[in-house]
């Protein structure tokens, strides 16, 4: 066992003395040591209850003959960090999480790992660490929040964000805004729609590193505690079988996850994270590969914010295994590949049939291609990403004049100040991985547009990112970014931009001579940076490469 490095032989008497100081007995020292990596936090609604999940995991480990050792990671709540300087630190926390886990599991050799994440960057950060360490591993998330209810209608965090725009436009009273604020998030868990956190928890299940139910069992259900105990027991079986992430995270597994992503209509952030995870495990995965899968995978679920069906509804009708079962009917999945508890085939065979409403039959999809589309063109030669499953039909092709802003704050001021008109194309730049730095999520601009009634008449493009709660013609991850000399940095107010989501293209209609004239005069703005964010800006790559660090 790997933990023998700190407990076997006379030379390890000092380490054993320290283990005894923890209260370990002779029999415990002889057993496998299992890390429990938990992101519990009093500051994040999705993580506040994770200590209970952790205790259940540890009970499962002990029952199956292991000795659990828990440690925490940092975590950023994107909802709390949204629309201020703190959001610059969200994506870059992913790398810190992966690095810190590498440090702990190398300095303290253990034999297997149970990862307990729940929200946006914590899930992929832990997945990257699992790839890097390649120890027998299993994931169990904290689960989704239940939807709220306002004036007799179920709502999630996206509706709460859009209410700010409605209030700014005079369409919602102070009293209603306060009433909605008290109702939108009724308890702990990851926010209730198919936002980034739930997207990543579902895809962790689809890719095979979590047990069925990981993505959809509500945070407050006792079934979530039972799942955590099962994960603790199952990691001991993985250790016995020596089944590691490299055995599970194959090219076929990533393809299965991407098929599921397209069928579900997941957050655009999953494109960043899956490419980064594939990079860590050494599986080739490009934005072009994602585009090919998107073009051939029907979208069979339309969950909040794209519709009024919530992630908890998906769980009631069979969850991710039922979605994958429907995809398998068209031979879109690799079935005979391993997961943490058998094969994909065994999961699919045990799943119920699609109900036809929450999960549509594959012969009656919402659309014949996936919920996420990759757009290219002169504005995004390396690619850009849109959640096309949450775009109004009339905005699938939009041509309009550019309204340019060099920061999210400037754009918000213009939007909420009534300066944006129907037909405009908002351009927010210098918010990319290097230029932000940190590639901020920008839910505030998109939700404000929707709340003000402009969501079906205004497009928005950026080299930054969008929240999974975003809906509308919001195109993010424009690469190369403005700070790296991308064409998005050369757009002027009034320029015509052609956003063709159906045709998967994004183009600036300005002749080449004028573009070269602008390029000769262009200079990236300088920003005063200190600390980690300064180092991050120097090391991070393009969004099209998953915003991973340079080798």
């Amino acid at each position: 066992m790997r933990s023998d490095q700190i407990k076997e032989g006379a030379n390890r008497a000092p380490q054993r003395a320290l283990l005894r100081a923890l209260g370990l007995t002779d029999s415990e020292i002889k057993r496998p040591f299992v890390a429990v990596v938990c992101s519990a936090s009093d500051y994040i609604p999705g993580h506040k209850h994770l200590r209970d999940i952790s205790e259940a995991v540890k009970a499962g480990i002990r029952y199956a003959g292991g000795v659990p050792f828990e440690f925490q990671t940092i975590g950023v709540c994107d909802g709390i960090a949204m629309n201020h300087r703190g959001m610059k630190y969200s994506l870059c926390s992913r790398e810190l999480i992966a690095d810190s886990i590498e440090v702990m599991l190398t300095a303290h050799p253990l034999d297997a790992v149970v990862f307990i994440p729940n929200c946006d960057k914590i899930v992929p950060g832990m997945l990257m660490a699992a790839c890097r360490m390649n120890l027998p591993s299993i994931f169990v998330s904290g689960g989704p929040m239940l939807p709220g209810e306002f004036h007799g209608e179920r709502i999630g965090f996206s509706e709460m964000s859009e209410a700010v725009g409605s209030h700014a436009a005079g369409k919602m009273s102070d009293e209603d805004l306060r009433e909605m604020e008290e109702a939108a998030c009724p308890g702990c868990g990851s926010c209730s729609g198919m936002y980034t956190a739930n997207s990543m928890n579902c895809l962790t299940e689809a890719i095979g590193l979590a047990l069925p139910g990981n993505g959809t069992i509500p945070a407050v259900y006792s079934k979530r505690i039972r799942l955590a105990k099962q994960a603790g027991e199952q990691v001991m079986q993985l250790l016995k079988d020596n089944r590691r992430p490299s055995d599970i995270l194959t090219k076929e597994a990533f393809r299965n996850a991407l098929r599921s992503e397209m069928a579900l209509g997941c957050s655009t952030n999953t494109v960043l994270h899956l490419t980064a995870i594939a990079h860590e495990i050494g599986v080739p995965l490009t934005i072009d590969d994602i585009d090919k899968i998107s073009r051939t995978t029907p979208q069979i679920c339309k969950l909040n914010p794209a519709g009024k069906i919530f992630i908890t509804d998906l769980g009631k009708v069979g969850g991710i295994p039922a979605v994958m079962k429907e995809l398998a009917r068209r031979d879109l999945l690799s079935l005979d590949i391993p997961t943490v508890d058998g094969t994909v085939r065994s999961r699919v065979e045990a799943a119920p049939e699609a109900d036809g409403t929450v999960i549509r039959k594959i012969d009656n999809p919402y659309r014949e291609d996936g919920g996420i589309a990759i757009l290219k063109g002169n504005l995004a030669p390396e690619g850009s990403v849109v959640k096309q499953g949450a775009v109004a039909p009339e905005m699938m092709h939009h041509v309009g004049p550019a309204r340019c802003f060099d920061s999210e704050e400037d754009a918000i001021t213009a939007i909420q100040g009534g300066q944006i008109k129907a037909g405009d194309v908002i351009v927010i730049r210098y918010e990319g991985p290097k230029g932000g730095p940190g590639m901020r999520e920008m839910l505030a601009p998109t939700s404000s547009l929707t709340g003000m009634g402009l969501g079906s008449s205004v497009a928005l493009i950026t080299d930054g990112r969008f929240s999974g709660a975003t809906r509308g013609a919001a195109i993010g991850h424009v690469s190369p970014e403005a700070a790296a000399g991308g064409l998005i940095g050369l757009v002027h107010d009034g320029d015509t931009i052609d956003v063709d989501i159906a045709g998967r293209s994004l183009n600036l209609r300005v002749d080449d001579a004028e573009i070269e004239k602008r390029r000769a005069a262009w200079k990236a703005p300088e920003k005063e940076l200190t600390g980690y964010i300064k180092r991050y800006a120097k090391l991070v790559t393009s969004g099209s490469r998953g915003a991973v660090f340079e080798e």
Side-chain angles (χ1 to χ4, degrees):
M1 292 187 294
R2 187 171 178 267
S3 61
D4 287 346
Q5 296 176 61
I6 56 171
K7 61 187 185 182
E8 283 293 310
N11 288 343
R12 294 296 178 246
Q15 282 92 335
R16 289 195 299 274
L18 291 169
L19 294 174
R20 294 182 193 283
L22 296 173
L24 268 63
T25 65
D26 285 342
S27 62
E28 286 177 310
I29 290 173
K30 293 175 183 176
R31 297 175 195 168
F33 285 3
V34 181
V36 178
V37 183
C38 181
S39 56
S41 168
D42 289 341
Y43 203 14
I44 304 178
H47 294 220
K48 186 171 176 58
H49 64 305
L50 292 190
R51 292 179 183 87
D52 293 335
I53 301 293
S54 176
E55 288 304 314
V57 165
K58 289 189 280 188
I61 291 169
R62 291 189 185 102
Y63 178 80
V67 181
F69 293 87
E70 181 181 355
F71 66 88
Q72 263 73 46
T73 68
I74 62 166
V76 172
C77 173
D78 280 18
I80 293 173
M82 197 72 67
N83 195 31
H84 60 86
R85 182 170 176 264
M87 180 47 76
K88 293 177 182 289
Y89 287 80
S90 174
L91 179 60
C92 67
S93 72
R94 186 187 71 181
E95 270 56 36
L96 278 177
I97 290 165
D99 289 351
S100 66
I101 294 169
E102 175 191 351
V103 168
M104 286 294 290
L105 293 182
T106 304
H108 301 260
L110 279 78
D111 304 304
V113 193
V114 180
F115 291 95
I116 309 175
N118 212 31
C119 293
D120 296 40
K121 309 312 160 302
I122 299 102
V123 185
M126 289 188 179
L127 283 164
M128 291 165 70
C131 295
R132 196 178 298 175
M133 300 310 297
N134 201 31
L135 296 168
S137 299
I138 193 168
F139 280 68
V140 57
S141 76
M145 184 185 293
L146 296 173
E149 187 173 320
F150 176 69
H151 289 183
E153 184 173 305
R154 293 190 305 167
I155 60 170
F157 187 72
S158 56
E159 286 83 1
M160 184 69 251
S161 299
E162 290 165 7
V164 174
S166 297
H167 181 264
K171 298 179 180 181
M172 178 178 269
S173 68
D174 291 347
E175 293 76 16
D176 277 353
L177 185 67
R178 173 60 184 267
E179 183 182 343
M180 192 175 189
E181 173 188 330
E182 292 183 347
C185 300
C188 64
S190 49
C191 293
S192 55
M194 186 53 87
Y195 314 145
T196 305
N198 288 328
S199 294
M200 287 307 303
N201 284 328
C202 287
L203 295 185
T204 304
E205 184 179 332
I207 211 167
L209 277 182
L211 294 170
N214 179 71
T216 56
I217 297 172
V220 294
Y221 283 15
S222 62
K223 191 175 181 181
R224 173 65 54 180
I225 296 296
R226 298 197 299 273
L227 184 75
K229 289 180 181 177
Q230 291 164 6
E233 292 182 33
Q234 189 61 27
V235 78
M236 297 303 295
Q237 186 62 47
L238 291 170
L239 178 59
K240 181 180 178 181
D241 296 340
N242 195 29
R243 184 173 294 185
R244 300 168 182 263
S246 59
D247 300 315
I248 296 171
L249 298 181
T250 61
K251 187 174 183 179
E252 292 77 17
F254 277 96
R255 191 179 297 116
N256 283 355
L258 285 164
R259 293 284 191 196
S260 302
E261 171 188 54
M262 299 305 168
L264 290 163
C266 289
S267 163
T268 52
N269 286 313
T270 58
V271 173
L272 272 179
H273 299 323
L274 286 175
T275 48
I277 295 159
H279 174 78
E280 283 285 354
I281 203 70
V283 170
L285 179 65
T286 68
I287 204 163
D288 292 327
D289 296 325
I290 295 171
D291 183 51
K292 289 175 184 175
I293 289 172
S294 170
R295 290 174 184 268
T296 57
T297 308
Q299 183 178 357
I300 56 176
C301 296
K302 206 161 196 177
L303 307 176
N304 180 270
K308 292 299 182 182
I309 299 171
F310 284 82
I311 188 79
T312 47
D313 299 322
L314 179 62
K316 291 175 183 177
V317 298
I320 303 308
V323 172
M324 296 180 77
K325 184 168 192 164
E326 197 60 21
L327 291 174
R329 288 183 57 218
R330 198 176 282 186
D331 296 325
L332 293 175
L333 299 180
S334 298
L335 299 178
D336 296 314
I337 60 173
T339 70
V340 289
D341 68 331
T343 64
V344 174
R345 183 180 297 279
S346 63
R347 291 186 176 189
V348 164
E349 288 177 347
E353 298 289 338
D355 71 311
T357 302
V358 177
I359 305 171
R360 283 196 176 185
K361 298 290 185 178
I362 202 160
D363 297 328
N364 180 38
Y366 286 101
R367 53 186 310 119
E368 284 293 344
D369 56 353
I372 291 176
I374 306 299
L375 312 187
K376 287 192 171 185
N378 67 354
L379 265 172
E382 294 178 9
S384 60
V385 185
V386 62
K387 190 175 185 176
Q388 65 173 347
V391 176
E394 58 268 34
M395 290 299 291
M396 290 299 286
H397 188 193
H398 179 80
V399 179
R403 295 295 311 280
C404 301
F405 303 95
D406 289 350
S407 72
E408 177 188 7
E409 288 84 356
D410 290 347
I412 281 287
T413 299
I415 293 167
Q416 295 188 351
Q419 299 173 34
I420 302 300
K421 299 178 176 59
D424 285 347
V425 179
I426 298 172
V427 178
I428 305 179
R429 58 203 178 187
Y430 300 107
E431 290 286 7
K434 286 184 177 294
M439 204 178 187
R440 281 196 284 188
E441 277 188 358
M442 286 175 276
L443 177 59
T446 55
S447 59
S448 292
L449 287 170
T450 299
M452 297 175 79
L454 294 170
S456 58
S457 60
V458 172
L460 195 158
I461 70 171
T462 181
D463 50 11
R465 303 180 295 125
F466 293 111
S467 165
T470 287
R471 58 184 172 134
I475 296 91
H477 309 191
V478 170
S479 300
E481 62 177 290
L487 185 59
I488 189 173
L490 306 181
V491 181
H492 286 185
D493 278 348
D495 287 348
T496 299
I497 293 179
D498 186 339
V499 180
D500 187 357
I501 298 172
R504 301 194 176 224
S505 66
L506 181 64
N507 288 291
L508 175 67
R509 291 184 178 175
V510 172
D511 65 65
D512 291 344
E514 175 62 20
I515 288 173
E516 289 310 309
K517 179 181 175 183
R518 295 179 187 180
R519 191 177 298 282
W522 173 82
K523 184 180 180 182
E526 295 184 6
K527 297 185 177 182
E528 290 294 327
L529 303 174
T530 59
Y532 175 60
I533 202 75
K534 182 176 182 179
R535 299 196 303 275
Y536 181 85
K538 288 181 178 180
L539 293 171
V540 71
T541 61
S542 166
S544 64
R545 293 173 56 189
V548 298
F549 282 172
E550 293 284 2
E551 294 292 341

